[in-house]
Amino acid sequence: EVKRDGRDSYMEYSPSFAEKNVSKIVLFEDLKKAIEENQLLLHFQPKYGLAHNQIEGVETLVRWKHPEKGMISPGEFIPLAEESDLIIQLGNWVLKEACYQYKVWEQQSYINFHLSINISPKQFLHPDFTDNIIQVLEETGMSPLKLDLEITESLAIENTESTIEKIQILKQYGIQISMDDFGTGYTSLSYLSMFPLDRIKIDRSFIQYLPDNKDHKAIVQSILTVAKNLNIRVTAEGVETQAQLALLHQLQCEEVQGFYFSKPVPPDSLLAHWNAQLMSM
Ligand code: C2E
Ligand code: MG
Ligand code: MG
Ligand code: MG
């Protein structure tokens, strides 16, 4: 925003450093309260398998319904939580709540899809992470075979050894591991062979300008080829148009996710999507 200061020159208007930090501290205190006072809630976005045109998984995406400010996006409060140990508490809340939700769906219907949960690097690297997951699975009765953890490239690059070790432990339980936002973190494709991954999710920024952007098409194609050879499934995220879908189909991408199919929705709507699909089978 540019403000005229009366003397025919222009001054940048932006909140001062102090202003920004005060509002950040306020938001941080609010977020602490939000976890305790149940202001957080979960939405779920389906992932479709192109081979059978079915929901293969659902991704858990946290939402914050702030009492005064309304809905705050995770893009705003997750990075804030990641600056402290609050992300551990938040992450544990999401994990437990999502697994409980899965069990509730199981009681409501015949469901057969996996549940993905985004894990922040700090949470993944915490020494109690694996034990905690196993405990939540026992407590909720959710099958480890249905759980999929979405980790990030930066985690894998900066903590390669310990990440591989931890993935191996989780895989012994049958838990699936996906690499989220693939392509944004400067990992080379050769990195993929180092991690025992079940799935990679190609970042939306490479899908957004398909089918016209030839460079992005080439990148997506290379990722698909390498992943296929390494036996890793590929999900394209952020699919919004029929034209994007058609190209991804042609390139033999296996899984797609995006607003073209569904936005993230509350638990009841997600189950309604699933049940509608069951009826048509
Ligand atoms: P992400 O894991 O890559 O999730 C995908 C984001 O893209 C979601 O935004 C989703 O709503 C949005 N999206 C999906 N399809 C489309 C599409 O077709 N077009 C567009 N424009 N956007 C689409 P959301 O829910 O705002 O989440 C943003 C990020 O916040 C997530 O990115 C993830 O990194 C983080 N996040 C969300 N929930 C959690 C959580 O429970 N724990 C952690 N650690 N991070 C989370
Ligand atoms: Mg994700
Ligand atoms: Mg993603
Ligand atoms: Mg993303």
Side-chain angles (χ1 to χ4, degrees):
E1 207 181 314
V2 176
K3 264 195 179 170
R4 213 165 176 154
D5 76 353
R7 276 171 309 164
D8 227 9
S9 65
Y10 290 88
M11 266 178 16
E12 282 285 324
Y13 178 78
S14 65
S16 71
F17 182 73
E19 273 177 306
K20 263 192 212 154
N21 276 289
V22 168
S23 61
K24 206 168 135 179
I25 291 166
V26 171
L27 198 65
F28 182 78
E29 290 304 320
D30 283 359
L31 181 56
K32 267 202 232 166
K33 246 194 286 168
I35 301 171
E36 284 150 21
E37 294 178 1
N38 267 320
Q39 293 167 19
L40 298 184
L41 48 112
L42 298 181
H43 282 186
F44 299 89
Q45 187 183 32
K47 298 192 279 181
Y48 288 86
L50 287 181
H52 306 287
N53 234 328
Q54 276 179 26
I55 295 177
E56 298 213 332
V58 308
E59 178 176 6
T60 309
L61 294 155
V62 67
R63 299 286 177 263
W64 179 8
K65 205 171 171 189
H66 190 285
E68 288 114 42
K69 299 190 176 97
M71 282 292 195
I72 301 180
S73 113
E76 235 176 290
F77 66 84
I78 292 285
L80 184 65
E82 277 172 340
E83 286 180 27
S84 73
D85 278 348
L86 197 55
I87 191 64
I88 306 289
Q89 211 185 327
L90 194 154
N92 285 339
W93 183 86
V94 170
L95 183 68
K96 215 177 212 175
E97 196 70 15
C99 293
Y100 269 116
Q101 183 57 61
Y102 193 87
K103 285 307 287 184
V104 170
W105 283 330
E106 276 188 330
Q107 282 155 13
Q108 292 171 330
S109 183
Y110 166 75
I111 64 168
N112 182 26
F113 52 76
H114 65 259
L115 176 73
S116 299
I117 301 182
N118 290 289
I119 305 294
S120 98
K122 205 181 232 174
Q123 190 187 358
F124 187 87
L125 293 170
H126 195 283
D128 295 341
F129 180 68
T130 316
D131 288 347
N132 195 40
I133 296 249
I134 303 311
Q135 198 192 321
V136 170
L137 290 174
E138 275 172 8
E139 216 177 287
T140 58
M142 180 178 166
S143 163
L145 303 176
K146 292 296 181 195
L147 182 63
D148 167 72
L149 305 176
E150 294 192 6
I151 61 171
T152 65
E153 259 181 311
S154 61
L155 165 80
I157 299 169
E158 286 159 33
N159 310 277
T160 308
E161 291 289 306
S162 51
T163 300
I164 293 173
E165 240 170 73
K166 215 165 240 187
I167 294 178
Q168 274 161 349
I169 297 172
L170 292 161
K171 292 208 63 66
Q172 283 169 6
Y173 289 95
I175 294 168
Q176 301 171 52
I177 306 289
S178 299
M179 195 175 277
D180 203 0
D181 303 336
F182 188 77
T184 55
Y186 309 101
T187 336
S188 68
L189 280 172
S190 64
Y191 251 87
L192 285 179
S193 64
M194 293 166 60
F195 300 93
L197 299 170
D198 295 281
R199 182 183 294 99
I200 57 183
K201 299 183 75 177
I202 304 178
D203 192 66
R204 184 166 74 86
S205 57
F206 298 108
I207 307 301
Q208 205 171 1
Y209 303 109
L210 297 181
D212 301 331
N213 189 311
K214 298 279 174 286
D215 294 346
H216 288 184
K217 182 181 168 188
I219 291 169
V220 169
Q221 210 158 9
S222 314
I223 296 175
L224 283 163
T225 304
V226 173
K228 187 163 271 174
N229 287 326
L230 293 171
N231 230 339
I232 299 173
R233 280 181 80 77
V234 176
T235 309
E237 52 173 40
V239 178
E240 293 183 354
T241 69
Q242 170 65 43
Q244 290 168 344
L245 176 63
L247 177 63
L248 290 163
H249 217 298
Q250 186 201 319
L251 297 177
Q252 293 179 309
C253 180
E254 292 159 301
E255 250 173 44
V256 284
Q257 184 181 25
F259 293 172
Y260 181 73
F261 302 94
S262 169
K263 292 201 166 178
V265 293
D268 289 349
S269 314
L270 191 282
L271 193 67
H273 271 291
W274 170 262
N275 285 338
Q277 174 189 291
L278 269 187
M279 306 269 278
S280 66
M281 268 164 38

